[in-house]
Amino acid sequence: MTDTSESTKERNREIARNEEAKQVAGSVRVSTWAVAAAVIIGGILFTLGWLSLR
C-alpha cells in the first residue's frame, strides 16, 4: 500500500513540474510578444512625432 502511495506522490510531483515548465514557457512567450508590440508602437509614435516636428 505504501508503494502505491509513494508512486502516486512521485507521479503527482512530476505532473506539477511539467505544469510549472509549461507556465514558464507560456509567460516568456507572452512577455516577448508584449515587448515586441511595445517596441513597434513606440517606433510608430516616435516616427510620427519626429515627422510632425520637421
Side-chain angles (χ1 to χ4, degrees), residues 5-26:
S5 177
E6 281 300 314
S7 71
T8 301
K9 285 182 182 178
E10 185 56 38
R11 182 175 178 272
N12 288 342
R13 286 186 197 110
E14 184 65 29
I15 290 170
R17 283 191 290 268
N18 289 342
E19 286 299 318
E20 182 182 6
K22 285 181 186 177
Q23 283 185 338
V24 168

Side-chain angles (χ1 to χ4, degrees), residues 22-46:
K22 285 181 186 177
Q23 283 185 338
V24 168
S27 295
V28 168
R29 191 176 306 118
V30 169
S31 297
T32 302
W33 277 107
V35 169
V39 167
I40 290 170
I41 292 170
I44 291 170
L45 292 176
F46 175 80

Side-chain angles (χ1 to χ4, degrees), residues 41-53:
I41 292 170
I44 291 170
L45 292 176
F46 175 80
T47 303
L48 291 174
W50 182 72
L51 288 174
S52 70
L53 292 176

